[in-house]
């Protein structure tokens, strides 16, 4: 019932509730008829959006910087320079982590300004507390600078010293610290004490808990690597929720493993898969000897050269591999005459290869056929909207990019419309209303935000009815969505149109029984693989943008004569067809929403011409019966053609479905 309350709330009610939350109430009697539960749910959503937006607006901009170094290492040279530090930096080099080295400072330069700048230019600070760390005012000043930066990820390492001694400045560490402080003012001493206590309270590594120092060093380096993967370049700042995607992908990639792994990124067209892939490449490329991001145009070039060849042409595959090797090895005009040459060139290389927008399994088989083609630790990431390509290639680790939550959808709209993740004063309720009426489709939110950028509040309010009726900004969204649909065979396209017009939110078992003569199971699997539908708890669901696309495909079957279409879903079209008897044998189903219908005139022979009509869906049938005067008794059926009216579903939303056999 909670979901029902959220689903049926009208935008005017939501706007009013938000106005009451955000601003002084002006029309409190307006809310008297709104269920308390509905208001509570709306308030929770609104407050969640506002609180998250506020936190984002106040958050540090650390992920927005392009860092010169991955790590700054703060240490006491006499304690660890030739032991722990040298092994530590060697492990960093092995993992391709860039660390600042103080021996890189030119001898003619003043040391402290360069150290201070290196701290600022480093993403992560690893502070190695050792017995004599506090004997150096340089070390303590480094620590103070690290803490004062406010944008650093800090990892403390307690090397041969008890963390409590550092935390409270006691024991041998405390005595050495007090000796150093004798030459300083009380203010400086207190600043150092606060910095020591702050960092010593952070989660870190204690050498006393490790029997094998090499394993501890490796784990610290892995921790650094994990943290680096969770940060993104400023080039991707406007992609809301990206860090969550990166974190999920990092778990699948498991970069600490020396195995060669292939991982898939799968989801609907326009949902942000390519942005996620490019952000991953941006984060990872420095950690691999060979790296390449391959988009669809790369494969198209080879196809154009061998346009007359069959899809499995040997020469086309060789040309694709030659182009591939030339680019990743940066050696122009490589020529090969044996497909095994690619394996021979790369089997000892640690590679990162991302294949974006894959639409041909031949490309996958030709370029990244098997894991043994590549060196230890290699990672292959394949991006596609067709899950079957991944499973057919044996890729089991698949990350599905889902549609954003309501809160993230609002932030996406704000990012596009206002160039920030939160709404300016006066636009908070309008943002939520627009998202409610539009959809949570990232590409659509981006285009809609650009369309609304610079518009005043009145314009935002005026656009709401147009959104409810299906505002068409341009053809970009539909063009992208059509890619998956156009790739279906005719039978699967037909099932897609059935779902978009009639079967949405219906049980899979019911659809199978209604279309028993078709191979529905196979079609549903194909549609799900291409992210055109989802099956949730046994029900088929479809995103609103895809549903609108499917209905438009049906509508353009006959723009001027609705009776020539497969399905009728628009109440006005249905009225015209039933009143004027213009329905033809092409009509397979009618879905009528009676919510806004006061009276429907049905000719007594309305269905006579629709000899192939099988499905008649009437929504809000019971609750609206008194207002919607649908005289079904007047409809004449030839007993030899029409019989056995069967009500096959009856929902809480008051919808009856009549199956005409």
């Amino acid at each position: 019932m909670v979901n029902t309350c959220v689903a049926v709330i009208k935008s005017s009610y939501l706007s009013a509730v938000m106005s009451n939350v955000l601003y002084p109430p002006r029309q409190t009697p307006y809310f008297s008829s709104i269920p308390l539960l509905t208001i509570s749910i709306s308030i929770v959503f609104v407050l969640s959006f506002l609180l998250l937006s506020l936190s984002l607006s106040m958050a540090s901009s650390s992920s927005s910087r392009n860092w010169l170094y991955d790590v700054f290492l703060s240490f006491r040279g006499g304690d660890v320079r030739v032991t722990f530090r040298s092994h530590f930096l060697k492990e960093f080099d092995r993992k391709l982590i860039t660390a600042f080295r103080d021996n890189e400072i030119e001898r003619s330069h003043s040391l402290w300004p360069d150290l201070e700048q290196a701290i600022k230019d480093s993403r992560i600070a690893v502070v190695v507390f050792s017995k004599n760390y506090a004997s150096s005012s340089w070390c303590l000043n480094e620590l103070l600078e690290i803490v004062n930066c406010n944008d650093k990820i800090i990892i403390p390492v307690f090397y041969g010293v008890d963390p409590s001694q550092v935390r409270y400045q006691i024991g041998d560490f405390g005595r050495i610290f007090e000796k150093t402080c004798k030459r300083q003012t009380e203010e400086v001493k207190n600043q150092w004490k606060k910095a020591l206590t702050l960092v010593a309270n952070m989660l870190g590594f204690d050498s006393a808990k490790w029997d094998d120092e090499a394993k501890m060093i490796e784990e610290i380096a892995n921790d650094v690597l994990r943290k680096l993967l969770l940060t993104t370049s400023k080039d991707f700042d406007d992609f809301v929720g990206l860090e969550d995607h990166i974190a999920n992908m990092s778990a699948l990639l498991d970069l600490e493993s020396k195995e060669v792994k292939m991982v898939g990124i799968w989801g609907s067209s326009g949902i942000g898969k390519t942005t996620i892939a490019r952000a991953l490449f941006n984060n990872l490329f420095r950690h691999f000897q060979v790296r390449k991001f391959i988009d669809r145009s790369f494969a198209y070039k080879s196809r154009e050269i061998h346009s007359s060849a069959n899809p499995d042409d040997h020469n086309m595959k060789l040309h694709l591999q030659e182009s591939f090797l030339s680019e990743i090895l940066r050696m122009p005009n490589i020529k090969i005459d044996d497909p095994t040459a690619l394996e021979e060139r790369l089997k000892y290389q640690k590679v990162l290869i991302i294949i974006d927008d894959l639409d041909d399994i031949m490309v996958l088989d030709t370029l990244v056929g098997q894991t043994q083609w590549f060196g230890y630790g290699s990672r292959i990431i394949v991006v596609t909207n067709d899950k079957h390509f991944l499973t057919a290639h044996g890729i089991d680790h698949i990350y599905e990019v889902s549609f954003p939550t309501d809160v993230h959808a609002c932030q996406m709209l704000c990012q596009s419309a206002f160039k920030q993740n939160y709404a300016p004063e006066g636009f908070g309720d309008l943002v939520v209303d627009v998202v409610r009426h539009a959809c949570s489709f990232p590409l659509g939110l981006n285009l809609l935000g650009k369309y609304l950028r610079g518009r005043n509040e009145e314009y935002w309010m005026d656009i709401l009815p147009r959104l409810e009726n299906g505002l068409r900004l341009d053809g970009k969204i539909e063009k992208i969505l059509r890619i998956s649909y156009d790739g279906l065979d005719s039978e699967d396209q037909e099932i897609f149109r059935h779902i978009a017009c009639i079967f949405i939110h219906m049980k899979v078992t019911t659809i199978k029984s209604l279309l028993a003569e078709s191979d529905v199971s196979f079609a549903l699997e194909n549609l799900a693989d291409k992210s055109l539908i989802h099956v949730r708890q046994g029900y088929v669901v479809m995103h609103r943008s895809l549903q609108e696309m499917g209905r438009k495909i049906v509508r353009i079957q006959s723009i001027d004569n609705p009776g020539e279409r497969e399905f009728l879903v628009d109440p006005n079209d249905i009225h015209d067809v039933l009143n004027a008897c213009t329905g033809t044998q092409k009509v397979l189903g009618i879905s009528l929403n009676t919510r806004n219908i006061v009276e429907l005139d049905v000719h007594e022979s309305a269905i006579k011409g629709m000899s192939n009509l099988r499905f008649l869906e009437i929504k809000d049938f019971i609750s609206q019966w008194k207002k919607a005067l649908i005289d079904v008794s007047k409809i004449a059926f030839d007993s030899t053609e029409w019989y056995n009216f069967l009500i096959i579903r009856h929902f809480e939303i008051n919808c009856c479905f009549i199956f005409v056999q």
Side-chain angles (χ1 to χ4, degrees):
M1 292 302 296
V2 171
N3 290 334
T4 303
C5 290
V6 174
V8 301
I9 187 168
K10 295 183 179 180
S11 63
S12 57
Y13 281 52
L14 183 59
S15 297
V17 172
M18 289 200 63
S19 298
N20 221 23
V21 174
L22 300 175
Y23 312 108
R26 291 171 292 194
Q27 294 179 324
T28 50
Y30 184 76
F31 305 99
S32 59
S33 62
I34 304 177
L36 180 59
L37 179 59
T38 302
I39 296 178
S40 300
I41 293 169
S42 301
I43 291 175
V44 168
F45 167 69
V46 170
L47 290 179
S48 298
F49 169 55
L50 292 176
L51 288 173
L52 186 53
S53 297
L54 181 61
S55 66
L56 285 167
S57 69
M58 298 174 64
S60 168
S61 60
S62 62
S63 64
S64 300
R65 288 195 55 182
N66 283 330
W67 306 94
L68 185 60
Y69 305 104
D70 292 328
V71 176
F72 179 89
L73 190 63
S74 177
F75 63 96
R76 183 70 175 104
D79 289 346
V80 300
R81 181 181 291 277
V82 297
T83 53
F84 178 85
R85 174 184 176 273
S86 61
H87 298 147
F88 198 45
L89 293 178
K90 185 176 181 179
E91 183 66 17
F92 277 0
D93 290 340
R94 194 176 71 83
K95 293 185 181 298
L96 302 178
I97 296 171
T98 305
F100 169 76
R101 288 167 165 81
D102 54 11
N103 56 6
E104 295 175 355
I105 299 175
E106 295 182 20
R107 294 186 179 182
S108 59
H109 284 201
S110 176
L111 187 61
W112 175 249
D114 285 349
L115 284 175
E116 186 179 24
Q117 189 59 46
I119 291 171
K120 292 177 180 178
D121 289 339
S122 300
R123 180 70 188 97
I124 295 174
V126 176
V127 182
V128 184
F129 292 116
S130 56
K131 179 181 178 181
N132 294 300
Y133 183 89
S135 67
S136 168
S137 59
W138 282 88
C139 288
L140 294 171
N141 283 328
E142 282 179 3
L143 181 68
L144 189 60
E145 180 63 28
I146 289 168
V147 170
N148 288 339
C149 279
N150 293 323
D151 61 356
K152 294 284 169 284
I153 297 173
I154 304 174
I155 302 175
V157 177
F158 303 95
Y159 188 76
V161 63
D162 191 286
S164 63
Q165 291 193 8
V166 180
R167 186 176 300 119
Y168 303 113
Q169 299 90 52
I170 58 176
D172 290 342
F173 187 91
R175 283 190 290 273
I176 292 172
F177 174 71
E178 289 295 335
K179 185 177 180 180
T180 305
C181 291
K182 288 180 179 179
R183 301 186 297 272
Q184 305 295 331
T185 64
E186 194 66 22
E187 181 182 2
V188 170
K189 178 182 178 180
N190 288 333
Q191 289 176 341
W192 285 347
K193 286 174 67 70
K194 288 179 181 178
L196 287 167
T197 301
L198 176 66
V199 176
N201 276 318
M202 295 178 179
L203 187 64
F205 296 85
D206 184 356
S207 64
K209 297 180 179 180
W210 292 80
D211 296 330
D212 189 329
E213 183 174 301
K215 288 184 177 179
M216 181 184 74
I217 289 173
E218 183 179 10
E219 180 55 33
I220 296 171
N222 286 336
D223 187 46
V224 169
L225 189 58
R226 283 192 294 267
K227 287 176 168 59
L228 287 172
L229 293 177
L230 294 178
T231 62
T232 55
S233 164
K234 64 181 180 181
D235 296 333
F236 304 97
D237 277 355
D238 58 350
F239 191 98
V240 175
L242 180 59
E243 290 194 357
D244 291 338
H245 293 303
I246 297 296
N248 292 330
M249 278 297 297
S250 296
L252 287 177
L253 289 168
D254 187 18
L255 290 180
E256 298 167 26
S257 171
K258 294 182 180 179
E259 291 182 62
V260 178
K261 287 184 178 290
M262 293 192 183
V263 176
I265 300 178
W266 165 61
S268 299
S269 298
I271 203 170
K273 303 186 301 297
T274 295
T275 303
I276 295 169
R278 288 198 175 278
L280 275 170
F281 188 81
N282 184 77
N283 284 8
L284 298 175
F285 77 92
R286 289 177 294 114
H287 309 293
F288 293 84
Q289 297 163 317
V290 176
R291 55 271 185 144
K292 178 62 181 174
F293 190 101
I294 301 172
D295 57 22
R296 187 187 288 191
S297 63
F298 177 84
Y300 278 173
K301 293 175 183 177
S302 293
R303 288 175 182 165
E304 289 175 1
I305 295 173
H306 300 273
S307 57
S308 60
N310 67 67
D312 204 39
D313 183 77
H314 178 74
N315 290 327
M316 182 171 66
K317 290 182 178 180
L318 285 180
H319 183 269
L320 193 60
Q321 289 186 340
E322 288 171 351
S323 301
F324 180 58
L325 284 172
S326 293
E327 291 208 22
I328 64 175
L329 299 179
R330 298 179 183 178
M331 296 171 59
N333 304 318
I334 288 180
K335 297 296 180 183
I336 60 176
D337 54 13
D338 185 350
T340 61
L342 190 147
E343 177 184 356
E344 291 299 319
R345 295 289 184 96
L346 298 178
K347 65 182 179 181
Y348 299 115
Q349 303 282 346
K350 182 182 179 182
V351 307
L352 171 66
I353 300 170
I354 297 182
I355 301 178
D356 183 41
D357 204 11
L358 178 76
D359 65 346
D360 189 342
I361 198 167
M362 180 276 293
V363 175
L364 205 55
D365 293 338
T366 303
L367 299 185
V368 292
Q370 300 179 48
T371 55
Q372 57 262 37
W373 290 9
F374 309 101
Y376 291 129
S378 293
R379 293 295 180 268
I380 316 298
I381 301 173
V382 181
V383 185
T384 182
N385 58 16
D386 192 336
K387 187 179 181 182
H388 176 69
F389 287 147
L390 303 175
T391 55
H393 196 67
I395 299 176
D396 300 322
H397 302 288
I398 300 173
Y399 177 57
E400 180 181 2
V401 184
S402 302
F403 287 98
T405 63
D406 287 340
V407 171
H408 277 167
C410 287
Q411 291 171 347
M412 287 178 177
L413 182 64
C414 289
Q415 185 65 246
S416 180
F418 309 116
K419 297 185 177 181
Q420 58 191 25
N421 279 1
Y422 56 95
E425 184 178 353
F427 282 88
D429 50 353
L430 291 171
V431 166
V432 177
D433 273 346
V434 167
V435 169
R436 291 282 198 202
H437 282 79
C439 61
S440 56
F441 186 56
L443 177 63
L445 292 169
N446 182 44
L447 293 174
L448 184 57
K450 290 179 180 177
Y451 180 79
L452 293 170
R453 188 179 296 170
R455 312 282 191 177
N456 58 27
E457 296 171 55
E458 184 179 356
Y459 190 92
W460 280 61
M461 293 179 66
D462 290 342
I463 205 174
L464 289 174
R466 296 173 62 193
L467 287 172
E468 190 170 14
N469 295 325
L471 172 67
R472 297 289 180 265
L473 298 178
D474 53 37
K476 290 182 181 179
I477 299 176
E478 184 180 341
K479 182 178 179 181
I480 291 175
L481 293 178
R482 281 290 299 249
I483 294 172
S484 295
Y485 174 82
D486 291 338
L488 300 170
D489 60 33
S490 58
E491 290 82 3
D492 293 348
Q493 288 181 346
E494 183 179 348
I495 299 298
F496 175 83
R497 297 193 300 272
H498 273 73
I499 294 171
C501 296
I502 299 288
F503 294 156
I504 195 167
H505 301 306
M506 183 180 283
K507 283 187 176 180
V508 171
T509 53
T510 303
I511 296 175
K512 289 180 179 180
S513 66
L514 292 176
L515 299 175
E517 72 281 4
S518 304
D519 192 353
V520 180
S521 297
F522 183 76
L524 293 178
E525 185 176 345
N526 283 345
L527 294 176
D529 281 349
K530 290 182 179 292
S531 297
L532 290 170
I533 65 168
H534 289 85
V535 178
R536 308 287 192 219
Q537 298 179 334
Y539 287 84
V540 172
V541 296
M542 178 183 288
H543 193 266
R544 178 176 171 180
S545 296
L546 291 164
Q547 183 187 22
E548 289 180 356
M549 181 192 74
R551 294 188 170 191
K552 182 178 180 181
I553 291 170
V554 171
R555 187 165 58 251
I556 62 178
Q557 290 173 350
S558 178
I559 296 175
D560 298 326
N561 185 3
E564 295 282 340
R565 303 171 191 164
E566 282 180 310
F567 301 102
L568 299 174
V569 295
D570 181 84
N572 294 324
D573 290 339
I574 294 171
H575 176 272
D576 293 343
V577 170
L578 295 182
N579 182 256
C581 294
T582 55
T584 69
Q585 61 183 3
K586 293 184 179 180
V587 179
L588 302 178
I590 298 174
S591 177
L592 174 63
N593 191 328
T594 66
R595 182 179 57 182
N596 297 319
I597 296 177
V598 176
E599 184 172 353
L600 182 67
D601 296 322
V602 181
H603 192 279
E604 62 181 13
S605 301
I607 302 182
K608 194 73 172 178
M610 293 183 275
S611 56
N612 290 318
L613 179 66
R614 298 188 61 197
F615 312 108
L616 176 60
E617 180 184 39
I618 305 176
K619 299 179 181 178
D620 286 340
F621 183 74
I622 296 175
S623 64
Q624 297 288 342
W625 181 252
K626 292 181 181 179
K627 292 198 300 181
L629 304 177
I630 308 174
D631 192 355
V632 181
S633 64
K634 289 183 179 180
I635 303 178
F637 297 97
D638 188 322
S639 60
T640 62
E641 298 180 18
W642 309 95
Y643 59 93
N644 193 17
F645 283 77
L646 176 64
I647 298 179
I648 62 169
R649 70 173 182 172
H650 185 191
F651 291 114
E652 292 180 4
I653 59 172
N654 298 325
C655 168
C656 77
F657 195 105
I658 300 173
F659 176 43
V660 184
Q661 288 187 334

